[in-house]
Amino acid sequence: DVKVTQSSRYLVKRTGEKVFLECVQDMDHENMFWYRQDPGLGLRLIYFSYDVKMKEKGDIPEGYSVSREKKERFSLILESASTNQTSMYLCASRDLTGSNSPLHFGNGTRLTVT
Amino acid sequence: KNQVEQSPQSLIILEGKNCTLQCNYTVSPFSNLRWYKQDTGRGPVSLTIMTFSENTKSNGRYTATLDADTKQSSLHITASQLSDSASYICVVPQFGNEKLTFGTGTRLTIIP
């Protein structure tokens, strides 16, 4: 089974702090994704990556950046955390067989910015 | 605009009863639709995928249907169990790229 591991289940940060969310997958998947999930809004794509050192903006990239230095690891960075970034963050990976492949999600990081 | 709408938003049923969740989409062109189950505090897990040519597919007590003409899918759960309590999310990819359109989910609660 694919395992996607997010380093923290819960994080509490102060406004203005730089925040790192880490995600590691163990199935050699090319594609990795960061989503945020808010009540009533569904999952929204922040950034995704096709390969090492490659990244593409999703639907809501403002205030975020990403890093993919190794194939198995995809990091989400909040440059200066704000209260409107309080959310559940989900990392996912998928192999390179087109849109029929399922996403494999981590269990999420619930971030609170105060 | 590509949209995926799910109904109802929430549903409470007694253990052992059946239920049906609905998903309507406007994504075009259409290639497939996937249902995910998300337990509380966990990430979503794929239940089943419906491709353009499929009408019905079963996975244990879960049966998904697809009507590509009316752009509707349903997920029917038979003989519900307490472990079926979860959010069920319908997802449709924008054809040819990695962008997925997610529904907002149906929160299902099974009570004993």
Side-chain angles (χ1 to χ4, degrees):
Chain A
D1 268 358
V2 177
K3 190 168 184 181
V4 178
T5 303
Q6 295 185 230
S7 55
S8 304
R9 292 300 302 273
Y10 300 95
L11 275 178
V12 180
K13 297 292 181 181
R14 293 194 180 275
T15 301
E17 279 193 79
K18 191 169 186 177
V19 182
F20 294 86
L21 303 183
E22 306 287 346
C23 174
V24 176
Q25 51 97 1
D26 66 357
M27 282 301 290
D28 202 37
H29 284 172
E30 290 80 7
N31 298 348
M32 296 189 74
F33 307 80
W34 275 105
Y35 291 91
R36 63 178 282 177
Q37 184 176 32
D38 300 290
L41 292 180
L43 275 75
R44 294 180 290 167
L45 180 64
I46 305 171
Y47 267 96
F48 61 103
S49 170
Y50 286 118
D51 204 345
V52 176
K53 297 193 185 294
M54 296 187 69
K55 60 185 179 183
E56 296 283 343
K57 292 180 179 179
D59 297 318
I60 52 165
E62 297 79 16
Y64 303 95
S65 62
V66 290
S67 172
R68 194 161 180 206
E69 296 296 319
K70 294 184 178 181
K71 191 174 186 178
E72 68 270 19
R73 187 179 296 271
F74 193 35
S75 302
L76 180 69
I77 303 153
L78 285 66
E79 297 291 343
S80 177
S82 63
T83 55
N84 63 13
Q85 293 178 310
T86 291
S87 186
M88 170 69 84
Y89 290 88
L90 288 165
C91 174
S93 72
R94 188 164 91 178
D95 68 26
L96 201 60
T97 53
S99 62
N100 283 10
S101 302
L103 288 171
H104 298 270
F105 286 91
N107 284 330
T109 295
R110 185 166 293 282
L111 173 67
T112 302
V113 182
T114 62
Chain B
K1 182 180 177 183
N2 293 320
Q3 285 187 311
V4 175
E5 295 183 349
Q6 294 187 243
S7 62
Q9 280 190 323
S10 62
L11 183 61
I12 302 173
I13 64 170
L14 288 172
E15 185 180 10
K17 298 295 186 182
N18 303 336
C19 66
T20 299
L21 314 180
Q22 299 288 349
C23 174
N24 297 342
Y25 61 91
T26 61
V27 179
S28 183
F30 175 79
S31 62
N32 65 75
L33 179 150
R34 189 180 292 275
W35 285 92
Y36 287 84
K37 179 187 179 189
Q38 184 175 20
D39 293 318
T40 301
R42 309 292 286 255
V45 175
S46 176
L47 281 176
T48 190
I49 181 173
M50 301 295 291
T51 59
F52 184 83
S53 60
E54 295 174 308
N55 297 120
T56 303
K57 182 185 286 185
S58 291
N59 178 5
R61 294 179 297 102
Y62 297 98
T63 299
T65 67
L66 176 67
D67 185 334
D69 291 331
T70 61
K71 300 189 176 184
Q72 296 179 327
S73 177
S74 66
L75 183 68
H76 184 76
I77 303 174
T78 303
S80 61
Q81 300 177 358
L82 297 179
S83 59
D84 294 330
S85 292
S87 290
Y88 292 84
I89 302 171
C90 177
V91 185
V92 182
Q94 295 175 33
F95 190 83
N97 64 46
E98 295 293 339
K99 298 265 181 96
L100 303 176
T101 303
F102 288 79
T104 54
T106 293
R107 176 71 206 173
L108 176 64
T109 303
I110 311 297
I111 56 176

